Amino acid sequence: MQPWQDPSRAVAERVEDLLARMSIEEKAGQLGSRWLGNTPRPPADGAQEPGAQSAPMEDAFAHEGGQVSLEQAARFGLGHLTRVYGSAPVSPAEGAAELARQQSVVVESSRLGIPAIAHEECLTGVTTYGATVYPAAIAWAATFDPELIGQMAAAIGRDLARLGVHQGLSPLMDVVRDYRWGRVEETLGEDPYLVSELGSAYVQGLQSAGIIATLKHFVGYSASRAGRNHGPASLGRREILDLLLPPFEAAVKAGAGSVMHSYNDNDAVPAGVDHWLLNEILREDWGFEGTVVSDYWATPFLASMHRVVEDYAGAAAETLKAGMDVELPDTICFSHLPNLVHDGELAPEYLDRAVRRVLTQKAELGLLDPGWNPKPDAPETIELDPPGNRAIAHRIAQTSIVLLDPGTALPLRRPANVAVIGPCADDPRTFMGCYAFPNHVLPKFPEHDAGLGIEIPTALQALRSELQGAHIVHSSGCEVMGQDRSGIPAAVAATAEADLCIAFVGDLAGMFGRGSSGEGCDVDDLKLPGVQTDLLDAVLATGTPVVVVVVSGRPYALGDLAPRVAGLVQAFMPGEEGGAALAGVLSGRLEPGGRLPVQIPRSPGGQPHTYLQPPLGEPSMISSVDVSPLFPFGHGCSYTTFELSEFEVDQTEIATDGSFEVGVLVRNSGVRAGTEVVQLYLSDPVASVVRPVRWLAGFARVRLEPEERVRVRMQVHADRTALVGRDLRRVVEPGRIRVSLGTSLRDLPFEQAVTLGGPARVVGADRVLSTPVVLEKA
């Protein structure tokens, strides 16, 4: 046994021993990957557009990567195997057999016999056939519940580990900057602190099962011009440092093992060749020691799309020097690395640096140990959607449903005749995000006739079960997308005969224009897709009370609709248990627990407008465009009532390295149990640079029985007021800070000034990033 194979030795010692034994070609092999199961699907007969795709420009780049067999790709070793389970509808046993086969090829084709890291997508659960589909990430954000999201991630991690997978390509730490962007559904909302807390919880949960979490997309992807996928981002460094990087920094501090760089360019510099981002910030400032992987085909994009290098060899050299380690999903550019080193065009130190990181992860995963076996135990017995998973999915779905306005009809009062209409009422696909297997991969296999792989009761089915005794008539009225209005008269007739209408409208997630939400499914404005607005106008004209449930991946403008409806609910793609959760919330059997992680716009234009705006970005008479939201960040109603009282701040003067405590008493003053989300905001009246009017600095989710009381205490460190100054150094400035507390951005009844005294203090990566919360029964 060689020293690098000896698990009793230190990992660093094993890695250096192995590195010293490797040729240039063997080192380069560890930085590549192979997506063997990626076969581009042809378009339908007569169609002009490409067939369904699960990655950008898949038809072009998969052809390039597909020219190389796995034996050829692995002849000097291989870094990663791409999506063995997530490329076609296979059972766990079939996927496990194929993964074992591919690992055997990798081991047997190379001199050193080093296995590859197997990675999969896992944003809403393992992206494989038959696996649990949890709510979309934007729904996690609506829970304001990091502990619950950590439980979900741990369950996803356990499923991945049982399948023999090593790395998951989640979570997204992108902060929403424009609601028109198709990938809003994959994010954790528009506030950096909310993204930080929930994303870090996901990282810790996933990695508790031994799975490497991958933070994406580093960075600026969500800030593209006009919300256009892959669009350039007009970002100054201060916006990057203050708004977009803090969630990644928090997740790195939480232990994330990998980072995926994004496709976009920031101020004309592609993220994949940005030394400032990948080395100075990520490595030097934050101390990140894991791997940086490319987004799929982002490395050849440097030549073909960004045009900052002449060819694929130039792309390989520039991105490796900038700090990137592994090219995904296929080795295209990195096949040039050996010649670049041999010809003296790339210093071997860059190659060694990246290989050392990859081998360290392989050693920590046990892939260098003798006797390692790629096949999981009894894969034929693996159940990917067990009751425990479904229970978590149900809790997240319920906890994420936002009651925007109960109106006059909610909770339902046992209506006798109910019309259930809308394109999201009886289509289970509308409950799932674009990275759920049924929406992400199954469209590539129209010949597959075995169903979605999991049980997903629709809203209509769930309401029939929930409202036993009621006469329910269903009429969809229209599709999510398209201009077909032929079904609207039937929906109007059903509504006119009913005591109550429940309309389910919103999105159908897809990829690259095949959905109304999802990757590559960006929009011009925030009107409901297709002719859904016409459908709602028509049924509202009947005079029958209409409850509207928006099932979507982004917020839509509801300003014209809200005054006319009898109740309004927002459900952010609630997953496989969404139907039961929605039915229970509508009936009142379950409490609506969600709060808005993005604002609900009043009008469809005038975008982008998220809440983190400076004074000149706020609604005013300066412009004729009203950007005030219909419902603000953090908003959400309940079926009970709460009283907040006895607000206090223990110190009103602290040093620039001190802290203060904020306290408030929360009482359930209603007649049923419920949940309130207490929110703490800070503002900086006078600063050396322009700052947002307010920013979220802490939150606490509090569930109370009737008349129960809880004291909420939040410990706020001065670091939570830090800003990026004119010299781009992060500093805590002396001066006055306003502390506001309440239950949404626009409902902040308590305010107190705190003065920071002493000299300005420069802070670094050791600064305090969170606001600890303590709940005490009163």
Side-chain angles (χ1 to χ4, degrees):
M1 182 169 59
Q2 301 296 336
W4 64 270
Q5 297 172 307
D6 185 355
S8 69
R9 295 175 181 263
V11 168
E13 180 185 354
R14 297 173 71 187
V15 168
E16 293 306 318
D17 177 77
L18 178 54
L19 196 63
R21 299 171 186 271
M22 300 175 79
S23 67
I24 296 297
E25 288 74 15
E26 288 169 335
K27 291 176 181 177
Q30 293 300 311
L31 308 184
S33 58
R34 185 70 182 93
W35 192 356
L36 198 63
N38 182 37
T39 304
R41 305 293 291 184
D45 291 343
Q48 298 299 311
E49 73 276 5
Q53 301 182 69
S54 54
M57 299 179 66
E58 181 179 302
D59 52 337
F61 287 113
H63 178 76
E64 292 193 44
Q67 302 304 303
V68 179
S69 69
L70 182 59
E71 287 81 1
Q72 290 174 302
R75 67 190 185 278
F76 295 113
L78 192 66
H80 276 239
L81 288 171
T82 299
R83 300 191 64 179
V84 176
Y85 290 92
S87 301
V90 297
S91 68
E94 291 169 331
E98 176 60 16
L99 178 57
R101 187 193 72 80
Q102 291 191 28
Q103 288 284 23
S104 295
V105 171
V106 171
V107 169
E108 294 167 7
S109 297
S110 57
R111 177 179 70 93
L112 293 168
I114 303 168
I117 292 173
H119 74 256
E120 291 288 349
E121 297 284 359
C122 61
L123 184 61
T124 60
V126 183
T127 305
T128 192
Y129 188 68
T132 303
V133 176
Y134 297 94
I138 192 68
W140 317 345
T143 71
F144 278 69
D145 192 339
E147 182 178 354
L148 180 55
I149 302 313
Q151 292 172 9
M152 176 199 68
I156 295 172
R158 289 192 294 271
D159 288 341
L160 288 168
R162 287 188 299 162
L163 294 171
V165 176
H166 310 109
Q167 183 165 343
L169 302 188
S170 289
L172 267 71
M173 305 303 290
D174 300 299
V175 177
V176 173
R177 301 298 288 158
D178 190 326
Y179 305 141
R180 296 172 296 181
W181 189 47
R183 302 191 80 168
V184 167
E185 64 168 69
E186 300 178 56
T187 75
L188 291 165
E190 65 184 70
D191 179 82
Y193 185 61
L194 184 62
V195 178
S196 298
E197 291 293 290
L198 293 164
S200 296
Y202 182 101
V203 166
Q204 291 172 331
L206 194 74
Q207 296 195 163
S208 70
I211 303 299
I212 297 170
T214 309
L215 312 179
K216 57 188 192 182
H217 305 86
F218 194 72
V219 65
Y221 192 23
S222 58
S224 60
R225 294 176 193 163
R228 183 174 176 271
N229 195 44
H230 290 196
S234 303
L235 290 168
R237 288 203 169 180
R238 188 170 292 104
E239 184 174 354
I240 293 174
L241 287 165
D242 247 354
L243 297 181
L244 302 183
L245 284 179
F248 288 93
E249 184 178 1
V252 165
K253 186 173 283 191
S258 189
V259 169
M260 175 182 282
H261 79 73
S262 60
Y263 290 111
N264 59 285
D265 61 81
N266 299 314
D267 193 23
V269 180
V273 293
D274 194 333
H275 182 275
W276 175 70
L277 278 175
L278 300 184
N279 258 321
E280 293 179 36
I281 295 293
L282 183 61
R283 302 284 185 188
E284 296 172 14
D285 289 356
W286 299 352
F288 178 68
E289 296 180 347
T291 54
V292 174
V293 301
S294 73
D295 207 338
Y296 282 14
W297 296 304
T299 308
F301 270 33
L302 295 169
S304 63
M305 303 298 288
H306 291 295
R307 304 177 189 175
V308 294
V309 292
E310 183 73 25
D311 51 26
Y312 287 170
E318 289 305 309
T319 194
L320 196 71
K321 287 190 289 186
M324 216 270 284
D325 300 317
V326 181
E327 181 183 8
L328 299 181
D330 276 311
T331 309
I332 295 178
C333 299
F334 275 19
S335 61
H336 296 275
L337 288 175
N339 286 340
L340 288 168
V341 175
H342 287 308
D343 295 343
E345 297 179 32
L346 179 69
E349 290 80 9
Y350 291 117
L351 190 63
D352 287 355
R353 180 179 68 179
V355 176
R356 187 175 285 112
R357 294 166 184 159
V358 173
L359 293 180
T360 296
Q361 288 190 334
K362 290 191 173 186
E364 292 170 343
L365 290 165
L367 300 184
L368 305 185
D369 296 353
W372 176 81
N373 184 356
K375 191 169 184 180
D377 295 333
E380 65 280 355
T381 67
I382 294 176
E383 185 180 357
L384 292 177
D385 191 29
N389 283 15
R390 295 194 72 102
I392 296 172
H394 183 89
R395 288 203 302 274
I396 296 174
Q398 176 196 341
T399 308
S400 68
I401 293 170
V402 184
L403 179 60
L404 296 175
D405 184 355
T408 58
L410 295 177
L412 301 178
R413 296 168 181 83
R414 298 193 175 278
N417 298 291
V418 181
V420 177
I421 71 159
C424 299
D426 199 31
D427 185 347
R429 298 173 301 160
T430 61
F431 285 173
M432 299 179 284
C434 72
Y435 269 77
F437 191 89
N439 287 342
H440 190 71
V441 179
L442 277 186
K444 295 174 67 174
F445 297 89
E447 70 279 9
H448 177 80
D449 59 2
L452 300 178
I454 51 175
E455 181 183 352
I456 313 181
T458 67
L460 175 64
Q461 292 169 331
L463 280 170
R464 290 192 191 281
S465 176
E466 187 78 24
L467 303 179
Q468 301 221 357
H471 176 62
I472 295 178
V473 176
H474 168 246
S475 179
S476 63
C478 65
E479 299 295 324
V480 169
M481 298 178 289
Q483 298 300 308
D484 185 0
R485 295 171 170 80
S486 61
I488 293 179
V492 170
T495 301
E497 295 295 321
D499 302 317
L500 176 74
C501 172
I502 306 176
F504 292 86
V505 295
D507 281 322
L508 174 61
M511 302 288 289
F512 306 108
R514 292 176 178 268
S516 61
S517 173
E519 184 173 356
C521 299
D522 315 312
V523 294
D524 293 328
D525 57 37
L526 297 174
K527 295 191 295 285
L528 284 167
V531 296
Q532 294 181 73
T533 298
D534 293 348
L535 171 65
L536 292 175
D537 286 341
V539 297
L540 283 164
T542 66
T544 298
V546 179
V547 172
V548 174
V549 180
V550 182
V551 181
S552 65
R554 64 164 62 83
Y556 284 105
L558 305 177
D560 180 59
L561 183 69
R564 299 183 287 155
V565 301
L568 191 55
V569 174
Q570 174 69 56
F572 290 110
M573 292 180 175
E576 65 180 31
E577 285 287 320
L582 275 168
V585 166
L586 291 171
S587 73
R589 178 175 56 84
L590 301 175
E591 61 165 305
R595 298 296 184 269
L596 287 176
V598 287
Q599 303 196 115
I600 301 295
R602 189 176 301 276
S603 60
Q607 298 299 317
H609 188 78
T610 58
Y611 95 84
L612 283 168
Q613 296 290 333
L616 286 178
E618 287 280 279
S620 72
M621 298 300 294
I622 297 172
S623 170
S624 59
V625 176
D626 182 6
V627 294
S628 59
L630 178 64
F631 296 105
F633 179 86
H635 171 80
C637 298
S638 176
Y639 290 148
T640 188
T641 56
F642 297 91
E643 290 182 357
L644 274 61
S645 63
E646 299 183 22
F647 170 75
E648 63 179 7
V649 177
D650 70 341
Q651 299 180 75
T652 57
E653 294 185 6
I654 64 169
T656 52
D657 62 352
S659 64
F660 58 91
E661 184 179 271
V662 179
V664 70
L665 185 68
V666 185
R667 180 175 75 93
N668 183 344
S669 54
V671 296
R672 57 179 290 171
T675 298
E676 185 60 275
V677 178
V678 178
Q679 300 164 42
L680 173 70
Y681 294 85
L682 301 180
S683 58
D684 193 345
V686 180
S688 60
V689 295
V690 175
R691 307 203 72 182
V693 173
R694 286 189 178 91
W695 65 92
L696 182 71
F699 60 87
R701 188 175 179 86
V702 184
R703 190 175 192 280
L704 299 173
E705 296 295 324
E707 292 303 323
E708 186 179 6
R709 306 191 308 168
V710 163
R711 185 79 183 170
V712 178
R713 300 186 185 278
M714 301 187 191
Q715 194 70 28
V716 184
H717 195 277
D719 289 358
R720 305 289 287 116
T721 72
L723 57 84
V724 176
R726 299 181 190 181
D727 59 1
L728 295 181
R729 293 191 302 169
R730 194 178 301 277
V731 62
V732 177
E733 293 185 339
R736 185 163 52 94
I737 294 290
R738 288 199 186 101
V739 180
S740 303
L741 186 139
T743 55
S744 81
L745 182 68
R746 302 296 182 191
D747 183 11
L748 299 170
F750 303 111
E751 185 172 295
Q752 175 67 58
V754 174
T755 301
L756 278 61
R761 182 172 63 91
V762 175
V763 295
D766 59 345
R767 75 187 191 281
V768 176
L769 295 175
S770 63
T771 301
V773 175
V774 174
L775 303 182
E776 301 173 349
K777 288 207 170 186

